[in-house]
Amino acid sequence: MPFKEQLIEFMKQEAYKPMTENELAQALNVHAGELDLLLKALNYMEKEGLVVKTRRGRYGIPEKMNLVVGMIEGHPKGYAFLIPENQDIDDIYISREDLNGALHGDKVVVRPKLPARHEGKTEGEVIRILKRASKKVVGTIERDRYFSFVTPDDKRFYYDIFVPKDQTMGAKSGQKVVVKITRWPEKRRNPEGEVIEVLGYEGEKGIDILSIIKKYDLPLEFPKKVLNQLEDIPDEVRQEDLEGREDFRDKKIVTIDGEDAKDLDDAVGVERIQGGYRLGVHIADVSYYVREKSPLDIEAMKRGTSVYLVDRVIPMLPPKLSNGICSLNPRTDRLTMSVVIDFDKDAKVKSYRITPGIIKTCERMTYTEVTKILEENDPDTMKRYEYLVEDFRLMEELAKKLTAKRFSRGSIDFNIEEAKVILDDSGNPVDVVKEERRTANHIIEEFMLAANEVIAEHMYWLKTPFVYRVHEVPDEEKMFSLREFLYNLGYTIKGIKNIKPKALQEILEKVKGRSEERVVNTVLLRSLKRARYSEENLGHFGLAAHFYTHFTSPIRRYPDLMIHRIIREHLEGRLDAKRQEKLSKIVARVAKISSERERIADEAERESNDLKIAEYMARRIGNIYDGIVSGVTPFGIFVELENTVEGLVHVSNLEDDFYHFDEESITLRGERTGRVFRIGDAVRVRVSKVNVVERQIDFELVNNRGQA
């Protein structure tokens, strides 16, 4: 057994008390020749937070020493929360004074203190910083005669960074720069750094999105080793690639994606069979081209995911694969990992098979085109795809039954329409629209869910190492807060202490079509835990699924690529005991890295979207819109417009009365007029101010005649 496992097992024993390196070596009967390996293991474990070394040189595991390891989630006001690595431990509040130089995103060790006053959370103090989130920060430089300061774009990094006179790279005041931290903050000392890249002035074309890319350290170029490896990858499927594959080229198979999609990694086909349906889900066989430990594989794992910013995609794989040989382009031979599922007439799985395949899709369909056929009976579109119309109707029939079956077990289906920002050729926002989920979207969603569940359950019962997509049961504390929120809106929720997905699904059904629908959907979603990747099968609460994974997007998600690799090894009979032992360590690492990269990608995507929305609204100062109250706070009301844009009407701008916040009913009530603002109320607002840098939009109320 490796030293890491031996040490953890030994330290978890009830009788264990922290020991020095020599004491541990004696206790574990470590020979002199192995002592160096033991010390390396302890050093690695200390850096990872698996063990903690005391000032007296003794080692113990954090949970037995009243310590918690996790990531700092900073707040612009200076305090922070620790997000523990152990999912069973609640977040810990940390005051600015107790951060001890730790910053947003850092991995730290925290000592919990007495239960706090702050939101009922435990308070803690950072006692050790294990790993800095990043040594690079993006911000705006201000130069003085003798020194300069960089003000970070990310307000959660709440220090200005001191830059010596000779470390500015010639940057001018007001320019965006990337600064490398050379000295970390201390209690009464700002961090120091050196400028390593000058991006340009804030208003210059492309600098806004480039600043976000640099802030999240997203890689714009692929390393030379990766580009060299591309030379060995063919542009077309070769005859020798077909060995051991099932041939689906005679089947009617299509891709259905958005108009602007270039990486087509899933294709589907449905046939009617005796007593039910046969669904084929064909996924790009990326693992055939991206071999384990190759430069392509190492770079893909580092990136973890493709990042979809508002104006561009930063891909996980180079375009030769993502848009070329791996993309299921129309009327072209492509290699797949395929799942063929037979359902009965009620969409219950009767049987399935998993096989490497080869396909040739008949069409590259878009959601819009399929929706025109199924919802609008558009004659031109139906004529163009006449030979596929019945196939699409059969897809719709099966998808509806899959949805009904999923709902019957309690799966939660959120109805939150996302904002899509339309840009012109210069990157300027010209419109903000809702991204609607239509019939075509639902078809693909249901088919991908079905494939993911089949794969997850199949691999689970094989007891092989695997990467699951998990969504754990929500925190009881958050469920109590949700119950209170819903009660104030007139809804009741049952079984808080042992909450079931069906109880939340019933709430979403009740609010459908009402003015508060989007608000309730949003608050309910925020009350749940974040889905993540794990080497353990912990189930998926939101889908009410016992088994779930991500198998269907290996072009843009690394866990899917890893899963394909494991499935291939299983099908080829290569998963012996030695390989499984090695895989156990690999999948744990892949799950951790992929969860972290997904979080970073989500933040970058959201920030780029919010930036362009703020830019769009900044050009519409004075415009009047209808909206609904989406939130009520002591400092004002949030109003959401039809296109999902949200802004604040500050209480100081409610000039007709003095308004008081009622926490119990979540309302603002006028002292003299008795006027009440509550969630879901229809209001009319004027855009009064927009701070693009802060992504803040301010509204003021107007009456029906447009007067404030």
Side-chain angles (χ1 to χ4, degrees):
M1 186 189 293
F3 278 130
K4 178 184 157 189
E5 280 79 6
Q6 283 187 61
L7 287 162
I8 289 175
E9 196 175 288
F10 181 57
M11 291 181 188
K12 280 187 174 178
Q13 292 175 13
E14 196 171 333
Y16 178 80
K17 294 195 176 164
M19 293 183 178
T20 64
E21 293 159 356
N22 290 334
E23 288 169 344
L24 284 166
Q26 285 181 340
L28 296 173
N29 295 315
V30 176
H31 301 300
E34 295 179 312
L35 189 58
D36 189 47
L37 292 175
L38 176 72
L39 296 179
K40 282 181 179 176
L42 283 168
N43 187 46
Y44 167 79
M45 293 169 73
E46 186 186 1
K47 285 179 180 175
E48 290 297 309
L50 299 172
V51 299
V52 174
K53 185 178 182 181
T54 68
R55 289 177 182 174
R56 295 185 178 182
R58 297 181 178 276
Y59 292 89
I61 53 176
E63 52 265 39
K64 292 190 74 174
M65 301 170 76
N66 190 34
L67 301 173
V68 183
V69 175
M71 189 191 78
I72 291 291
E73 183 80 44
H75 190 279
K77 291 186 178 177
Y79 59 82
F81 292 95
L82 180 82
I83 312 300
E85 287 191 345
N86 184 340
Q87 299 285 318
D88 297 327
I89 300 174
D90 290 337
D91 297 353
I92 297 172
Y93 170 77
I94 305 170
S95 68
R96 183 165 185 164
E97 294 73 29
D98 287 331
L99 279 166
N100 295 325
L103 300 164
H104 173 72
D106 289 351
K107 184 175 180 178
V108 300
V109 179
V110 164
R111 179 185 291 115
K113 295 157 75 174
L114 294 172
R117 303 161 301 286
H118 190 90
E119 296 182 7
K121 291 186 181 294
T122 302
E123 285 191 20
E125 178 186 7
V126 174
I127 64 161
R128 195 160 304 165
I129 298 167
L130 299 173
K131 186 179 178 183
R132 292 289 185 179
S134 177
K135 289 185 177 180
K136 293 186 280 190
V137 177
V138 176
T140 304
I141 193 166
E142 290 299 328
R143 296 201 58 170
D144 200 279
R145 187 173 175 183
Y146 301 107
F147 57 85
S148 301
F149 277 100
V150 172
T151 303
D153 285 355
D154 192 339
K155 301 307 172 192
R156 294 171 298 188
F157 193 109
Y158 33 77
Y159 294 98
D160 285 344
I161 302 158
F162 173 78
V163 180
K165 185 179 180 181
D166 59 348
Q167 300 292 319
T168 62
M169 277 191 73
K172 297 174 182 175
S173 284
Q175 286 188 318
K176 291 280 184 186
V177 298
V178 182
V179 61
K180 180 182 175 183
I181 305 295
T182 56
R183 181 168 180 167
W184 296 100
E186 296 168 12
K187 284 213 170 182
R188 290 181 178 83
R189 191 188 192 102
N190 278 38
E192 293 181 17
E194 59 177 317
V195 174
I196 59 171
E197 193 174 354
V198 180
L199 303 180
Y201 288 103
E202 193 171 339
E204 291 176 2
K205 182 180 175 182
I207 296 300
D208 50 2
I209 299 296
L210 182 61
S211 295
I212 292 172
I213 290 170
K214 295 294 182 179
K215 171 181 171 181
Y216 291 99
D217 206 13
L218 303 176
L220 287 170
E221 306 292 336
F222 285 94
K224 192 173 181 181
K225 282 185 181 179
V226 172
L227 299 177
N228 290 342
Q229 190 186 344
L230 293 179
E231 294 173 13
D232 300 327
I233 292 175
D235 294 315
E236 296 177 358
V237 172
R238 303 161 302 188
Q239 188 61 37
E240 60 260 38
D241 301 327
L242 307 187
E243 189 179 340
R245 294 183 178 275
E246 186 169 342
D247 196 338
F248 296 98
R249 286 176 291 186
D250 62 337
K251 302 288 185 184
K252 284 192 281 184
I253 297 170
V254 298
T255 58
I256 307 176
D257 290 274
E259 277 84 353
D260 51 358
K262 293 188 178 74
D263 50 352
L264 313 178
D265 51 11
D266 57 83
V268 295
V270 176
E271 303 170 66
R272 196 179 292 282
I273 58 173
Q274 187 174 359
Y277 313 85
R278 175 166 292 157
L279 166 66
V281 176
H282 308 276
I283 308 301
D285 193 355
V286 179
S287 67
Y288 183 78
Y289 298 103
V290 181
R291 299 301 171 125
E292 188 174 14
K293 291 187 177 177
S294 67
L296 267 170
D297 182 49
I298 292 166
E299 182 65 18
M301 185 160 79
K302 261 190 218 170
R303 294 179 178 226
T305 180
S306 295
V307 185
Y308 294 83
L309 301 177
V310 70
D311 68 337
R312 74 192 80 186
V313 177
I314 299 176
M316 183 180 83
L317 297 170
K320 182 171 182 177
L321 286 99
S322 60
N323 300 348
I325 189 66
C326 292
S327 186
L328 306 181
N329 298 329
R331 295 171 289 282
T332 309
D333 286 358
R334 286 291 183 257
L335 306 182
T336 62
M337 190 65 76
S338 298
V339 189
V340 181
I341 310 171
D342 286 357
F343 297 95
D344 66 15
K345 61 181 176 58
D346 298 317
K348 184 179 178 182
V349 176
K350 294 197 298 181
S351 63
Y352 63 87
R353 69 180 189 278
I354 305 163
T355 177
I358 179 166
I359 66 169
K360 183 185 278 189
T361 60
C362 356
E363 298 287 352
R364 185 256 195 256
M365 302 297 297
T366 67
Y367 293 126
T368 303
E369 289 168 332
V370 176
T371 296
K372 280 183 177 181
I373 292 169
L374 296 176
E375 292 186 26
E376 300 168 20
N377 293 316
D378 180 73
D380 292 337
T381 312
M382 291 179 76
K383 185 176 180 182
R384 182 181 171 190
Y385 300 112
E386 188 175 4
Y387 75 109
L388 288 172
V389 169
E390 287 309 310
D391 290 74
F392 292 134
R393 287 186 175 142
L394 191 60
M395 287 182 192
E396 181 182 20
E397 185 181 311
L398 173 58
K400 283 182 175 177
K401 289 183 178 181
L402 286 169
T403 302
K405 186 164 73 76
R406 191 162 53 83
F407 276 19
S408 70
R409 74 187 188 204
S411 177
I412 305 169
D413 194 28
F414 290 100
N415 184 24
I416 302 175
E417 292 165 323
E418 300 291 336
K420 181 178 175 67
V421 184
I422 312 298
L423 305 178
D424 63 18
D425 293 338
S426 300
N428 297 313
V430 293
D431 202 1
V432 179
V433 298
K434 278 183 182 176
E435 274 203 293
E436 294 183 320
R437 290 162 66 210
R438 306 293 290 273
T439 300
N441 304 72
H442 283 293
I443 288 171
I444 294 301
E445 284 171 14
E446 289 299 340
F447 291 174
M448 296 306 115
L449 288 171
N452 286 337
E453 288 187 45
V454 162
I455 291 287
E457 183 167 6
H458 179 83
M459 298 307 288
Y460 175 78
W461 292 116
L462 288 174
K463 302 298 179 188
T464 62
F466 206 58
V467 182
Y468 296 94
R469 181 67 170 177
V470 302
H471 187 221
E472 291 141 294
V473 176
D475 292 329
E476 199 174 280
E477 183 185 323
K478 288 194 174 180
M479 287 298 98
F480 278 116
S481 298
L482 176 65
R483 183 177 69 177
E484 192 175 335
F485 169 80
L486 292 170
Y487 179 78
N488 290 325
L489 292 178
Y491 301 99
T492 55
I493 188 170
K494 301 171 187 174
I496 289 295
K497 290 199 172 181
N498 187 24
I499 193 74
K500 302 294 182 193
K502 201 168 186 68
L504 303 182
Q505 183 209 83
E506 287 169 359
I507 293 292
L508 297 183
E509 286 296 310
K510 287 177 184 175
V511 300
K512 263 188 182 172
R514 300 194 176 185
S515 57
E516 66 268 25
E517 179 182 5
R518 182 177 169 87
V519 180
V520 171
N521 271 262
T522 302
V523 172
L524 201 155
L525 178 61
R526 288 174 183 166
S527 301
L528 302 181
K529 285 189 176 178
R530 184 187 178 95
R532 62 185 178 93
Y533 298 105
S534 174
E535 69 277 17
E536 295 180 78
N537 176 45
L538 304 173
H540 198 292
F541 179 84
L543 293 171
H546 294 298
F547 311 96
Y548 196 65
T549 190
H550 271 173
F551 162 79
T552 53
S553 293
I555 288 177
R556 63 185 181 89
R557 291 189 304 229
Y558 192 80
D560 306 50
L561 171 56
M562 185 73 214
I563 283 165
H564 278 230
R565 195 172 284 148
I566 295 171
I567 291 169
R568 180 188 305 285
E569 292 183 36
H570 157 62
L571 294 174
E572 294 175 357
R574 292 191 284 123
L575 283 179
D576 58 20
K578 188 177 178 183
R579 175 59 175 162
Q580 290 205 40
E581 186 181 345
K582 187 177 180 183
L583 270 177
S584 295
K585 297 172 187 172
I586 294 172
V587 294
R589 184 162 174 254
V590 166
K592 184 172 182 292
I593 291 171
S594 299
S595 296
E596 289 169 358
R597 295 308 303 172
E598 180 187 50
R599 185 184 285 257
I600 289 167
D602 285 348
E603 284 192 25
E605 289 167 8
R606 192 181 307 115
E607 187 168 337
S608 75
N609 220 45
D610 290 347
L611 168 72
K612 291 299 177 182
I613 287 174
E615 284 183 15
Y616 175 79
M617 296 305 289
R619 296 187 179 103
R620 282 152 184 82
I621 303 289
N623 284 16
I624 293 173
Y625 299 93
D626 290 320
I628 65 158
V629 175
S630 56
V632 181
T633 70
F635 53 84
I637 59 173
F638 286 95
V639 176
E640 185 180 290
L641 310 185
E642 177 63 26
N643 61 3
T644 77
V645 172
E646 189 175 61
L648 173 70
V649 180
H650 197 273
V651 69
S652 62
N653 288 326
L654 296 172
E655 297 177 348
D656 63 327
D657 204 345
F658 290 105
Y659 284 85
H660 301 285
F661 178 66
D662 185 333
E663 189 173 359
E664 193 172 313
S665 62
I666 318 178
T667 58
L668 272 184
R669 183 179 295 273
E671 191 177 281
R672 180 178 51 81
T673 61
R675 186 182 186 185
V676 176
F677 292 103
R678 56 174 59 85
I679 291 170
D681 285 352
V683 291
R684 177 165 282 195
V685 294
R686 178 187 290 115
V687 184
S688 61
K689 188 171 68 175
V690 177
N691 184 329
V692 175
V693 174
E694 302 285 343
R695 323 300 193 236
Q696 290 179 352
I697 300 165
D698 286 348
F699 294 147
E700 58 186 14
L701 290 179
V702 298
N703 59 30
N704 290 331
R705 289 172 291 181
Q707 296 172 330

